[in-house]
Amino acid sequence: MRFDRYTVILLTLRPDAPAMTDEEADERQDRHLAHGADMQERGLVLARGPLVDQDNERYRGFSIWSVDAATARNHAEADPAVRAGRLAVEVMTWMMPAGNLQFSRVRRPRSIADATTD
């Protein structure tokens, strides 16, 4: 059986994340979303999104990448929320039976305003 390999990144809230005002958090979130949208537009990220209703509140986001683990890590570590020390990057390889998943191009939120409008 053939398998497709994807790099998966789990973003987690760092225990030593710096405190921010609401305004700072919103600005950082907008830059985080824009970074992710850029990665998708370049074809590096196939799918991404926040994690909600999870057992562990440290888990913040999940993304599936089309590139090897080292390349994905380098781009994920350039995320403004990671560089600011708010989020940490966990990288792994995920294997699926070949052809099991298909990814479509969808609208990519670049800001909180984009993510909250229909």
Side-chain angles (χ1 to χ4, degrees):
M1 176 178 276
R2 285 187 31 245
F3 287 86
D4 291 330
R5 298 170 67 96
Y6 300 98
T7 301
V8 171
I9 291 187
L10 180 63
L11 293 176
T12 59
L13 181 63
R14 292 176 51 120
D16 60 346
M20 292 183 280
T21 66
D22 289 345
E23 183 177 290
E24 290 170 330
D26 288 350
E27 187 270 333
R28 178 114 39 232
Q29 183 67 8
D30 282 350
R31 292 189 325 160
H32 163 73
L33 290 171
H35 175 79
D38 290 343
M39 296 299 99
Q40 275 189 278
E41 288 167 6
R42 292 177 56 193
L44 302 174
V45 172
L46 300 169
R48 68 186 172 93
L51 297 169
V52 297
D53 301 328
Q54 68 273 29
D55 290 338
N56 186 333
E57 287 297 317
R58 284 187 41 245
Y59 300 139
R60 296 304 200 171
F62 178 86
S63 54
I64 302 171
W65 295 66
S66 65
V67 296
D68 64 90
T71 301
R73 179 185 299 281
N74 285 338
H75 287 291
E77 288 178 348
D79 182 313
V82 175
R83 288 185 18 223
R86 179 156 178 76
L87 298 176
V89 173
E90 295 184 25
V91 181
M92 58 210 79
T93 300
W94 184 37
M95 295 174 46
M96 296 291 294
N100 193 53
L101 291 178
Q102 296 180 15
F103 299 92
S104 300
R105 289 193 159 259
V106 298
R107 182 174 164 265
R108 299 162 185 90
R110 300 188 66 80
S111 66
I112 296 169
D114 281 350
T116 58
T117 58
D118 291 331

